[in-house]
Amino acid sequence: MTGAGRRLGRAIALALGRAGCDVAVHYRSSRAAAEATVAELRALGRDAEALGADLTKPADIDALFADLASRFGGLDILVNSAASFERAALADIGWEDWDRVLAINARAPLLCLQRSLPLFAARARRPGRQDGARAPAAVINLGDLSGQTPWRGYAHHGASKAALLHLTRCAARELAPEVRVNALVPGPILPPPGEEEGDPIWEARGQRLPLGRTGRPEEVADAVLFLARCEFVTGVALLVDGGEHLLSGGRP
Ligand SMILES: NC(=O)c1ccc[n+]([C@@H]2O[C@H](COP(=O)([O-])OP(=O)(O)OC[C@H]3O[C@@H](n4cnc5c(N)ncnc54)[C@H](OP(=O)(O)O)[C@@H]3O)[C@@H](O)[C@H]2O)c1
């Protein structure tokens, strides 16, 4: 589970733990938060470990998955939640900005998926597995609506999330039936840096949605559990967005 130390990633990691999963809690800079998530998971009786990596660095990803393999031996579910959320006017996007955003939001999920494949295969060989051994592994990629609707000021971010959505479909087709690959697309759940819960701008963001409010991390986590469990679903983007995608203009 990438980006699992805080915010949505933390909520998803804890929901997986409550559902009976052992969890590798990846972090980049939020080590203390990741260790707190691990402590909560262990208190639930789950095995958990905090593993650090900068996912823009392929060598870090290799090391992360080597650690994961030696610590857990196999993998059933990969959740790609780590991401950046950078704003820039299109005219100001430098190639370094483009590469950095694409590296974390699109390339890292691909590399994590590739490095998960031998761990998915290893999971069925683990001792003690009696039922479900042939159930497909599950990959869940966290997108956002910028991957479907152009948001002003988020061209590189939106292109990275669009790439992630298409990667999801390509991987779902190519890796079936052994691996299911789905995307989860939240609407406004937690305010981005610069906005806070209770802030009038954030409140207004919820009020304009068809369902009239922002979402809760637990609602995203529930949807992750659905995608992890439902063995007849692959290649979809599940929108958990209070109906935001129905608004003709999307974001400003
Ligand atoms: N929050 C929302 O309302 C919302 C709405 C729509 C979609 N989403 C999507 O849902 C996912 C989780 O959202 P969030 O708001 O919880 O995300 P976030 O707080 O913006 O970022 C999640 C984590 O990504 C990690 N990260 C960033 N750059 C990294 C790098 N180079 N290498 C490794 N890790 C890196 C960070 O880990 P460290 O803290 O350890 O550095 C961070 O905690 C994201 O994919 C986001 O696009 C969220």
Side-chain angles (χ1 to χ4, degrees):
M1 159 91 228
T2 70
R6 56 195 191 93
R7 289 172 55 87
L8 284 191
R10 175 178 175 280
I12 295 167
L14 291 174
L16 287 166
R18 282 191 286 271
C21 299
D22 298 331
V23 186
V25 175
H26 158 266
Y27 66 93
R28 176 195 50 175
S29 53
S30 301
R31 181 175 184 159
E35 283 171 353
T37 305
V38 165
E40 283 192 63
L41 286 161
R42 288 181 182 160
L44 291 169
R46 306 269 68 86
D47 190 8
E49 193 75 50
L51 301 172
D54 180 343
L55 299 180
T56 61
K57 298 181 178 162
D60 269 31
I61 297 178
D62 287 342
L64 170 68
F65 279 84
D67 283 355
L68 205 155
S70 65
R71 179 65 176 75
F72 291 91
L75 194 63
D76 299 287
I77 301 165
L78 168 68
V79 181
N80 282 309
S81 181
S84 65
F85 188 56
E86 293 193 29
R87 182 186 176 102
L90 188 125
D92 297 333
I93 296 171
W95 65 263
E96 300 93 336
D97 305 319
W98 178 270
D99 284 357
R100 183 180 59 255
V101 169
L102 271 284
I104 177 63
N105 291 351
R107 188 180 71 192
L110 169 68
L111 297 182
C112 290
L113 169 52
Q114 289 173 331
R115 276 139 193 78
S116 294
L117 295 176
L119 297 179
F120 289 154
R123 83 203 209 288
R125 298 194 295 270
R126 273 189 312 213
R129 273 192 82 94
Q130 281 147 8
D131 59 352
R134 268 179 258 116
V139 178
I140 297 146
N141 294 322
L142 274 283
D144 67 29
L145 287 173
S146 73
Q148 302 178 10
T149 307
W151 294 351
R152 292 173 71 88
Y154 290 93
H156 54 350
H157 178 83
S160 72
K161 291 295 196 182
L164 182 61
L165 283 184
H166 198 62
L167 172 67
T168 299
R169 291 186 286 265
C170 292
R173 183 150 192 204
E174 196 163 329
L175 299 177
E178 289 82 9
V179 184
R180 297 184 299 108
V181 188
N182 291 294
L184 199 160
V185 179
I189 310 291
L190 291 173
E195 293 176 35
E196 288 180 13
E197 306 262 10
D199 187 318
I201 299 176
W202 180 249
E203 294 299 313
R205 226 178 264 271
Q207 283 158 9
R208 61 183 269 285
L209 300 183
L211 293 183
R213 63 170 176 87
T214 56
R216 291 187 280 272
E218 298 72 27
E219 291 168 329
V220 173
D222 278 350
V224 169
L225 294 184
F226 166 75
L227 290 175
R229 282 180 175 137
C230 188
E231 292 179 15
F232 203 49
V233 174
T234 196
V236 305
L238 177 57
L239 275 51
V240 182
D241 70 343
E244 187 175 25
H245 66 284
L246 301 169
L247 304 178
S248 57
R251 280 196 171 200

